[in-house]
Amino acid sequence: MDHSTTDVLVLGSGIAGLSAALGAAREGASVTVATKATQPEGASTWWAQGGIAVARTAPRRFKEDIHTASSGTSDPEALDVLVQNADAAVRDVLIDTLEVDFDTGGDGASFDYGREAAHSEDRILHVDASTGKHIHEPFLNCLAAHDRVAIRGNTAAIDLLERDGAVHGALLKSGDEVRRLHAGATVLATGGIGALYGRSTNPAGATGDGIAMAHRAGATTTDMEFVQFHPTVCVADGDPFLVSEAVRGEGAVLRNAAGDRFMPAVHEDAELAPRDVVARAVEQEHKRTGRVVLDVSSFDFAETFPDLTAMCAEHGVDPSAGIPVVPAEHFLCGGVDVDTHGRASLDRLYAVGECARTGVHGANRLASTSLLEGLVWGLRAGTDATGTTVPSQPVSISTTGAGSPPPDEALRAAFERLQQAMDEHVGLRRTPDGLQQARHDIRSIGADVDAWMDPSARRGVHELRSACTGARLIAEAAAANETSVGCHYMERPDAPSAS
Ligand code: SIN
């Protein structure tokens, strides 16, 4: 395979990118997957716990649940696409092609469908509470063995090759080498923006590269203010880790430092209220009383969640004493604006998965729909992206700067300043003054990065540049939206409220 051109270039290697690669390869296209990841854990998909929701026999209820979780803001056309294609895509790719061993019930024949917050019925396929890795690893293996797919790990995309409103590939950086890879179509599948915040469930490389590159190339982004925080992330020894909503679905309750349950007084669905409601309540009780724990004493935690039990042990947490939790950034509902085939506003550019805004989630996402969205849109985008020709003339792009490289310490400090601005002012609760302060801070960090920029700059500089762009888009979108809705919560007495 000629590696300087490819029919379809996929940037990112989570479920959305791999589905796009599979969709395109099935159409006979040559596909290159370029990913920063050096191991499966580099993709958010690997970390997904709860599972993947399907429609089963009640598609209308599934749509209603997604729409309600979004505070009535999800896009009806996108919802139809997701729900109508859900079961067939899961059957085709995950069950028949990858042979994912989803948990079955007591009879061993039918699936053990789980439930999470805001789902009105049991519909979530899962493998214990580590569904992501059970999907991701066979998917990577399947594509690594595919003769039309080349996977290039440890390769970061640093800019799109845009000419006259169309995208013809990307500038890729592997180690010190920077080179252009021309493509008939380019699919962004670069995941989320977790690294913009001090605490996130995303892998460290989630710096919003795809969104930033698309924005620089002139593509439209939408709904960037809708950053979802997960209410239950365990902070004990070592890195924080997610404690799946499935644990609350099983009956776990939240207690403050005094041992009191607080969610029943906050929302009629108590611990199974929408994520943003639970996350804000956890944050508040944590601040007020000093500690919040998940009480898992109402069921056999070790038997129901062996993977999480092992994770607790690794981090020195005894679940029988309550699992200490706080909220953490989890998922960006907005992103590069795309249609029902993943087509962005620039010709030959697609976006799928967390970096895309399909309209399915609107202002807030229902649990266990992100893997599904990645799968469905990935397949559709990959199939649609075939059949365009690779440009015969090389595309040159103007690359900014001939900056001087920063010392490691300065780079780290700049990243921390960015995270601090986002945590303080663009988190679970926002105010107009706070957002203004954040925009000021982000601009000032961005100016430092511009002075460091050069295509040959080390990867961390490019990542910080992407992170600054993403942070700016989020803060600007948040400042422009005065209405508290879904995961965008403006804290001020006179704020109009959509719900
Ligand atoms: C979880 O397992 O709680 C996360 C599931 C999701 O974010 O969809």
Side-chain angles (χ1 to χ4, degrees):
M1 186 182 289
D2 177 1
H3 284 169
S4 62
T5 67
T6 185
D7 293 335
V8 177
L9 170 60
V10 177
L11 302 175
S13 58
I15 189 169
L18 298 182
S19 301
L22 180 65
R26 280 176 169 177
E27 294 294 307
S30 68
V31 181
T32 300
V33 177
T35 172
K36 292 201 293 190
T38 49
Q39 50 187 356
E41 289 92 318
S44 293
T45 296
W46 193 91
W47 297 94
Q49 291 188 5
I52 183 162
V54 287
R56 302 186 66 187
T57 54
R60 187 190 293 183
R61 271 178 80 175
F62 189 21
K63 274 194 253 183
E64 283 167 4
D65 288 351
I66 296 172
H67 197 60
T68 304
S70 76
S71 301
T73 59
S74 60
D75 177 281
E77 193 189 357
L79 260 189
D80 279 344
V81 166
L82 183 83
V83 172
Q84 280 163 14
N85 290 284
D87 295 49
V90 168
R91 163 76 45 200
D92 164 20
V93 177
L94 303 188
I95 297 173
D96 293 345
T97 306
L98 304 180
E99 300 179 359
V100 176
D101 215 359
F102 289 116
D103 287 355
T104 50
D107 61 2
S110 50
F111 291 121
D112 170 34
Y113 293 100
R115 183 182 297 214
E116 291 174 35
H119 284 272
S120 63
E121 66 171 349
D122 299 348
R123 59 163 79 93
I124 299 168
L125 288 168
H126 61 99
V127 185
D128 192 354
S130 53
T131 311
K133 70 177 162 200
H134 290 277
I135 291 174
H136 193 48
E137 288 179 0
F139 215 157
L140 277 175
N141 292 339
C142 164
L143 290 184
H146 201 297
D147 58 3
R148 280 192 286 280
V149 180
I151 300 182
R152 292 171 54 176
N154 199 16
T155 300
I158 57 176
D159 257 317
L160 297 176
L161 303 178
E162 185 270 339
R163 185 168 61 198
D164 301 332
V167 171
H168 303 282
L171 198 61
L172 301 179
K173 182 170 171 65
S174 317
D176 289 335
E177 186 192 69
V178 177
R179 64 186 187 123
R180 286 174 289 185
L181 177 57
H182 288 96
T186 303
V187 183
L188 301 171
T190 50
I193 47 83
L196 277 55
Y197 290 86
R199 195 183 292 126
S200 167
T201 60
N202 296 181
T207 45
D209 306 341
I211 294 170
M213 287 188 292
H215 175 73
R216 281 198 297 274
T220 306
T221 59
T222 307
D223 285 351
M224 289 295 288
E225 69 271 40
F226 300 123
V227 179
Q228 186 179 72
F229 289 76
H230 198 287
T232 57
V233 171
C234 178
V235 276
D237 295 349
D239 292 336
F241 65 93
L242 180 68
V243 184
S244 175
E245 206 156 272
V247 175
R248 275 174 287 131
E250 200 62 33
V253 295
L254 289 159
R255 295 190 188 280
N256 63 21
D260 297 329
R261 261 186 94 185
F262 50 90
M263 281 313 300
V266 174
H267 194 280
E268 59 183 1
D269 294 330
E271 279 79 3
L272 295 182
R275 254 180 210 178
D276 62 299
V277 176
V278 184
R280 278 194 298 275
V282 169
E283 186 198 44
Q284 184 169 318
E285 282 304 292
H286 195 274
K287 255 192 205 145
R288 198 177 69 81
T289 73
R291 182 175 157 87
V292 171
V293 297
L294 253 183
D295 173 354
V296 296
S297 60
S298 63
F299 61 96
D300 188 336
F301 183 71
E303 188 178 308
T304 318
F305 296 105
D307 291 0
L308 279 170
T309 303
M311 201 114 70
C312 284
E314 246 172 66
H315 289 74
V317 173
D318 172 9
S320 70
I323 304 171
V325 289
V326 289
E329 191 284 338
H330 185 56
F331 188 87
L332 176 65
C333 300
V336 179
D337 201 29
V338 296
D339 68 8
T340 55
H341 286 90
R343 292 181 284 233
S345 60
L346 296 176
D347 196 21
R348 300 170 177 228
L349 179 67
Y350 294 76
V352 293
E354 193 173 344
C355 70
R357 183 272 185 193
T358 62
V360 162
H361 311 305
N364 208 354
R365 180 174 68 82
L366 180 70
S368 287
T369 53
S370 54
L371 294 176
L372 182 64
E373 185 198 38
L375 172 67
V376 168
W377 256 263
L379 287 173
R380 290 169 73 81
T383 307
D384 198 81
T386 56
T388 42
T389 47
V390 182
S392 50
Q393 295 298 315
V395 179
S396 55
I397 54 165
S398 56
T399 47
T400 46
S404 49
D408 282 349
E409 224 170 84
L411 187 58
R412 211 173 18 250
F415 229 116
E416 282 170 11
R417 272 167 60 215
L418 183 70
Q419 291 174 337
Q420 204 175 347
M422 296 301 282
D423 287 343
E424 267 179 38
H425 304 301
V426 203
L428 273 166
R429 295 164 198 273
R430 297 150 180 192
T431 64
D433 286 353
L435 290 171
Q436 201 176 349
Q437 180 64 48
R439 291 166 73 187
H440 173 272
D441 294 348
I442 296 162
R443 260 198 310 275
S444 135
I445 302 160
D448 289 349
V449 181
D450 285 348
W452 295 333
M453 267 318 295
D454 167 343
S456 66
R458 62 190 187 282
R459 187 186 297 178
V461 179
H462 290 282
E463 289 182 325
L464 180 57
R465 180 194 193 202
S466 293
C468 284
T469 304
R472 182 167 60 75
L473 292 172
I474 294 169
E476 280 173 3
N481 185 354
E482 295 183 353
T483 306
S484 287
V485 56
C487 26
H488 172 58
Y489 186 79
M490 290 296 280
E491 197 169 47
R492 61 175 179 194
D494 59 342
S497 173
S499 53

